[in-house]
């Protein structure tokens, strides 16, 4: 599943297709489907409808045994229905990528994972875990993955052992995702849009409830770590003060 011009065409899909539901406001609004093609490449169709907006993409990609992208071609429309194309290749230590904002190449030494500008593909979380929990990124940066919770969750009469993984290095706060026993993508849940294995839609709320506990604890820990309590009062001096009544600045 991707950290995922025109509408994706309808084509025959393999019987072992991995299917996810895209849920907004408690309703299924789209899907993500991935299957392996006869030539060994993977094909992903992703689309959802948010009041007439929403991505609609087709991606074809290849990956290494440990889940690193070696090639990617994705095209379709983004959330605002703007057509785009994006491509990536990694061969003989040279990475090349092209998207609406970049046309770059870079020598690489060691494992790297390409994060697309407009779209993506592959199992990003599994790739990080397969490489010891830390992985360099393209175009730049480093991401880490840490399992913060493990639990058994039941849907359709069957129990699954799921793990909540905190991904750091993608922004100022961790990004949370759920994986199964094989570290394969199971769900990405939030208050706005969630993507989850088809058939497990009933788990969105309990997974989100548990995830929010860790989201809240992250900020609580920050507050405890960085809050400073001065022993004396604080004076802020020699600044410009704006008087909103008169509409004038008071200097010094």
């Amino acid at each position: 599943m991707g950290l995922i011009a025109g509408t994706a065409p309808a084509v025959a899909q393999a019987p072992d297709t991995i299917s996810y539901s895209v849920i907004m406001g408690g309703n299924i609004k789209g899907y993500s489907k991935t299957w392996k093609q006869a030539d060994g490449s993977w094909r992903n169709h992703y689309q959802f409808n948010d009041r007439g907006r929403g991505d609609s993409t087709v991606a074809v990609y290849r990956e290494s045994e440990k889940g690193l992208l070696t090639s990617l071609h994705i095209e379709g429309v983004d959330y605002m229905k703007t057509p785009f194309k994006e491509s990536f290749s990694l061969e003989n230590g040279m990475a090349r990528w092209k998207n609406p904002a970049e046309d770059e190449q870079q020598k690489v030494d060691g494992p790297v994972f390409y994060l697309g500008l407009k779209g993506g593909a592959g199992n990003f979380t599994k790739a990080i875990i397969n490489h010891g929990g830390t992985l360099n990124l393209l175009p730049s940066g480093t991401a880490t993955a840490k399992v913060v919770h493990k639990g058994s969750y039941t849907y359709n009469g069957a129990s699954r052992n799921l793990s909540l993984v905190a991904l750091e290095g993608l922004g100022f706060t961790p990004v949370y995702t759920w994986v199964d026993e094989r570290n394969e993508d199971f769900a990405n849940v939030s208050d706005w849009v969630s993507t989850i294995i088809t058939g497990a839609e009933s788990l969105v709320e309990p997974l989100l409830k548990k995830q929010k506990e860790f989201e809240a604890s992250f900020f609580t820990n920050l507050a405890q770590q960085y809050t400073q309590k001065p022993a004396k009062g604080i004076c802020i001096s020699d600044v410009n003060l704006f008087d909103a009544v008169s509409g004038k600045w008071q200097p010094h």
Side-chain angles (χ1 to χ4, degrees):
M1 181 173 69
L3 273 176
I4 353 207
T7 303
V11 297
Q13 61 190 40
D16 58 348
T17 297
I18 304 169
S19 180
Y20 298 83
S21 295
V22 180
I23 300 173
M24 303 183 71
N27 298 311
I28 297 177
K29 305 292 288 186
Y31 64 84
S32 176
K33 296 182 179 181
T34 303
W35 63 93
K36 199 167 190 177
Q37 303 188 114
D39 64 358
S41 65
W42 293 88
R43 187 179 185 94
N44 171 265
H45 286 202
Y46 171 62
Q47 66 179 35
F48 70 94
N49 188 321
D50 177 21
R51 297 159 294 175
R53 294 165 289 186
D55 302 61
S56 179
T57 61
V58 176
V60 177
Y61 64 96
R62 294 179 182 273
E63 59 185 11
S64 69
E65 291 183 359
K66 287 191 173 184
L68 301 177
L69 286 176
T70 58
S71 69
L72 167 67
H73 179 81
I74 181 170
E75 60 182 284
V77 296
D78 62 16
Y79 178 75
M80 298 304 295
K81 297 301 183 184
T82 302
F84 76 91
K85 292 182 180 181
E86 184 159 4
S87 60
F88 167 79
S89 66
L90 177 59
E91 188 175 4
N92 298 324
M94 180 64 71
R96 296 179 174 85
W97 64 95
K98 185 176 182 179
N99 54 52
E102 302 166 305
D103 187 358
E104 305 288 342
Q105 65 180 32
Q106 180 178 317
K107 289 184 178 181
V108 299
D109 181 17
V112 294
F113 197 99
Y114 174 73
L115 292 183
L117 176 70
K118 288 284 191 175
N123 196 321
F124 177 53
T125 304
K126 185 176 182 179
I128 301 178
I129 295 174
N130 284 344
H131 290 84
T134 301
L135 190 58
N136 290 330
L137 306 176
L138 286 174
S140 64
T142 301
T144 62
K146 181 181 179 181
V147 175
V148 295
H149 163 75
K150 291 185 177 182
S152 178
Y153 294 85
T154 302
Y155 68 96
N156 294 337
S159 296
R160 294 289 300 273
N161 294 321
L162 303 178
S163 298
L164 177 62
V165 180
L167 301 173
E168 296 190 0
L170 305 179
F172 293 112
T173 60
V175 174
Y176 295 91
T177 187
W178 292 84
V179 299
D180 64 14
E181 303 91 334
R182 300 174 300 169
N183 294 320
E184 300 280 355
D185 289 328
F186 186 87
N188 291 296
V189 296
S190 73
D191 287 315
W192 179 55
V193 59
S194 298
T195 304
I196 192 167
I197 283 283
T198 300
E201 293 84 359
S202 61
L203 287 184
V204 168
E205 288 192 12
L207 293 183
L208 182 58
K209 181 179 179 181
K210 174 58 67 174
Q211 180 176 307
K212 284 186 173 182
E213 295 178 9
F214 291 90
E215 293 175 351
S217 66
F218 173 80
F219 292 105
T220 299
N221 291 336
L222 282 184
Q224 294 173 344
Q225 183 178 356
Y226 292 107
T227 296
Q228 299 181 32
K229 296 181 179 179
K232 300 179 179 180
I234 296 177
C235 175
I236 301 175
S237 64
D238 200 25
V239 296
N240 295 331
L241 178 67
F242 180 71
D243 184 343
V245 176
S246 64
K248 296 180 180 180
W249 287 99
Q250 298 180 15
H252 306 295

